[in-house]
Amino acid sequence: MAQRMVELIEAKRDGAALSADQIHWFVQGVVEGRIPDYQSAALLMAIYFQGMNRQETVELTMAMAHSGDILDLHDVAPVVVDKHSSGGVGDKTTLVVQPLVAACGVPVGKMSGRGLGPSGGTIDKMESIRGWSPELDLARFKQQLRDIGLVLSGQTSDLAPADGHLYALRDVTGTVPSTPLIAASIMSKKLAGGADAVVLDVKVGSGAFMPTVEAARDLAQIMVEIGEDAGRRMAALISNMDEPLGYAVGNALEVKEAIATLRGETTAGMAVPPDFWEHAVTVAAHMVLLAGRVPSLDEARSLVTAARDRGDGLQKFRQMVAAQGGDVRQVDRPELLPQAPLVETIAVKRAGYVTRIDAGALGWTAVRLGAGRAEKGAAIDHAVGFVMPVKVGDRLQAGDTLATIHAASDGALRDAEEAIRAAVTLRDEPVEPLPLFYDMLGET
């Protein structure tokens, strides 16, 4: 077996394509523990440098998807629609999109993960709500999907277990930013999770894995093709992450912003950022469209907006929180969510146009405040973070609010202030605002 693994490593090292048999043998060996980590890591590095063609990527995805359980949710939902974001700073989209889509009559059962590094995790955000738990077994997952049409749970080790093992290796061997490996990781979990249709939100920019629109488009195209080859309906949005999405960065702060967005009004001092609402309604509309609920994207947008305006989306969110043990008083009164002991607003020191925001640097600023984790298993502080109502293209005057920082200590607050100021570039010349979306692929 060791000799055969060497043959795979050498073949990929030299730029050859691996056969379907070789790929499936490798994935099975990973799950069964027959292949040592050092050989798996060597193959991952060879793939990182040499890449994979479309057929190899499809075979790797399918092998990983079938390395564990394959969910079938059709006994509780005739069409299962899922979404996936490649991660970003201030990306609380799931908290708004899921309940809105469910309120449109499209059941949504989603498994999400925790954050690592500058990209926040959906589960971490939701755990800002006292008592809320992502731990659901399959029977309870299905029952809740049947009862209220909305579930948000943690990822189970029974789905695509090969991905969990390989991702852990990629994380410590510098092979995470590989397009075929990213595509296989994302799509294997989506296919194993039982989705009939998937909307992908692929981020591009300083706060994302993909540094350029071209790289993001390549990744999105591969994932759309993998899904379509597997018989799924697919859509992909290429979205901007050269500035945080919305204003809030930090777990409880993002939950407050999500609740305000579902209400459509300022809530607990948290405003509704126009960019975040437009992003959320666009993603939700594509999910409703792929589910076949309406025949056009315009009608889907109208349906989603009406669900928000009636308060149905907020009610779905409240039902999900209650069903999973959360304190709904914190939904009704978001000021009861965790609050940092130190809150300070910092002002712009000079007039000018915002020409650049380093979203990646701001993500790491949130991590250093305690809102994220630099390594797996680290504890996080749900209360800390910052709210920055500033976007590229804005004209600011000296004294305008740059950000409001929520910190656990004065030292952390001062460090965050310095980092936030350094992440925002002001110039005298005006610039155009950044687009929310650069491209849309698949069934759009």
Side-chain angles (χ1 to χ4, degrees):
M1 182 200 70
Q3 184 57 38
R4 187 174 181 187
M5 188 61 197
V6 171
E7 293 172 3
L8 267 67
I9 295 168
E10 291 175 342
K12 182 49 66 178
R13 178 199 66 192
D14 296 337
L18 301 180
S19 68
D21 175 68
Q22 288 175 314
I23 291 170
H24 286 259
W25 176 86
F26 164 66
V27 171
Q28 185 177 1
V30 167
V31 173
E32 294 175 356
R34 292 185 285 103
I35 298 174
D37 283 353
Y38 62 84
Q39 287 190 313
S40 296
L43 182 59
L44 292 172
M45 187 62 75
I47 292 170
Y48 175 85
F49 281 113
Q50 295 289 358
M52 286 182 135
N53 63 33
R54 173 178 171 175
Q55 189 57 42
E56 286 178 290
T57 307
V58 170
E59 293 295 344
L60 179 61
T61 304
M62 298 309 294
M64 289 165 59
H66 287 274
S67 65
D69 295 341
I70 300 289
L71 291 188
D72 185 351
L73 302 174
H74 293 119
D75 54 335
V76 294
V79 177
V80 179
V81 182
D82 201 355
K83 69 164 281 282
H84 177 84
S85 168
S86 58
V89 181
D91 185 3
K92 72 288 292 180
T93 308
T94 292
L95 307 189
V96 171
V97 164
Q98 254 201 300
L100 285 173
V101 172
C104 291
V106 179
V108 185
K110 180 168 175 57
M111 295 182 184
S112 292
R114 302 184 186 278
L116 182 64
S119 181
T122 299
I123 297 300
D124 294 326
K125 302 180 205 301
M126 285 299 301
E127 286 181 336
S128 300
I129 300 174
R130 187 185 306 110
W132 185 88
S133 173
E135 304 301 326
L136 284 77
D137 60 25
L138 181 57
R140 187 176 164 197
F141 186 101
K142 284 189 171 186
Q143 187 60 50
Q144 186 173 318
L145 190 63
R146 182 183 293 110
D147 290 344
I148 66 174
L150 179 60
V151 187
L152 178 58
S153 77
Q155 293 171 341
T156 168
S157 59
D158 296 329
L159 293 183
D163 175 64
H165 188 80
L166 292 177
Y167 188 88
L169 284 178
R170 289 166 58 208
D171 191 41
V172 296
T173 57
T175 54
V176 168
S178 162
T179 297
L181 294 178
I182 293 172
S185 175
I186 292 172
M187 290 305 299
S188 64
K189 293 193 289 286
K190 294 299 118 179
L191 298 179
D196 299 297
V198 180
V199 176
L200 302 167
D201 181 8
V202 182
K203 307 290 190 186
V204 57
S206 63
F209 278 128
M210 297 292 108
T212 66
V213 174
E214 291 73 23
R217 188 181 290 115
D218 288 345
L219 174 61
Q221 186 63 50
I222 289 171
M223 292 192 289
V224 166
E225 291 173 353
I226 289 171
E228 290 176 344
D229 286 351
R232 271 57 168 187
R233 300 185 67 183
M234 300 292 301
L237 311 175
I238 312 298
S239 63
N240 168 50
M241 191 37 68
D242 266 322
E243 58 188 4
L245 182 58
Y247 301 153
V249 180
N251 299 287
L253 296 172
E254 293 186 45
V255 173
K256 290 179 183 178
E257 189 168 88
I259 292 171
T261 302
L262 285 169
R263 287 184 175 176
E265 60 187 21
T266 297
T267 301
M270 198 69 68
V272 180
D275 68 319
F276 177 53
W277 168 243
E278 177 58 27
H279 187 96
V281 73
T282 300
V283 172
H286 277 88
M287 293 175 70
V288 171
L289 180 64
L290 285 191
R293 186 73 173 79
V294 290
S296 74
L297 189 61
D298 285 343
E299 290 174 273
R301 287 179 64 91
S302 296
L303 201 64
V304 171
T305 302
R308 193 276 299 265
D309 293 346
R310 290 193 307 267
D312 293 349
L314 180 62
Q315 180 60 19
K316 281 293 180 185
F317 182 80
R318 194 178 188 278
Q319 288 175 346
M320 182 268 289
V321 169
Q324 293 180 224
D327 186 350
V328 294
R329 292 176 299 175
Q330 292 180 305
V331 178
D332 299 334
R333 297 176 58 198
E335 65 272 14
L336 297 178
L337 286 161
Q339 298 191 49
L342 298 177
V343 179
E344 182 174 309
T345 297
I346 60 174
V348 178
K349 292 183 177 180
R350 55 153 288 191
Y353 292 92
V354 179
T355 59
R356 182 176 184 272
I357 297 176
D358 189 337
L362 291 175
W364 283 112
T365 299
V367 171
R368 289 190 292 272
L369 278 167
R373 51 179 67 84
E375 56 186 41
K376 291 179 180 178
I380 62 171
D381 186 340
H382 290 96
V384 300
F386 54 88
V387 180
M388 198 174 81
V390 172
K391 300 293 176 183
V392 171
D394 287 354
R395 168 69 175 174
L396 300 179
Q397 300 292 338
D400 286 349
T401 295
L402 178 61
T404 300
I405 303 171
H406 299 244
S409 70
D410 187 66
L413 194 153
R414 297 278 75 86
D415 289 345
E417 176 182 358
E418 181 179 352
I420 290 170
R421 291 192 186 281
V424 179
T425 302
L426 294 178
R427 294 285 186 267
D428 294 331
E429 301 78 18
V431 297
E432 291 295 318
L434 296 172
L436 277 176
F437 299 100
Y438 292 101
D439 203 354
M440 300 184 184
L441 293 76
E443 295 189 38
T444 59

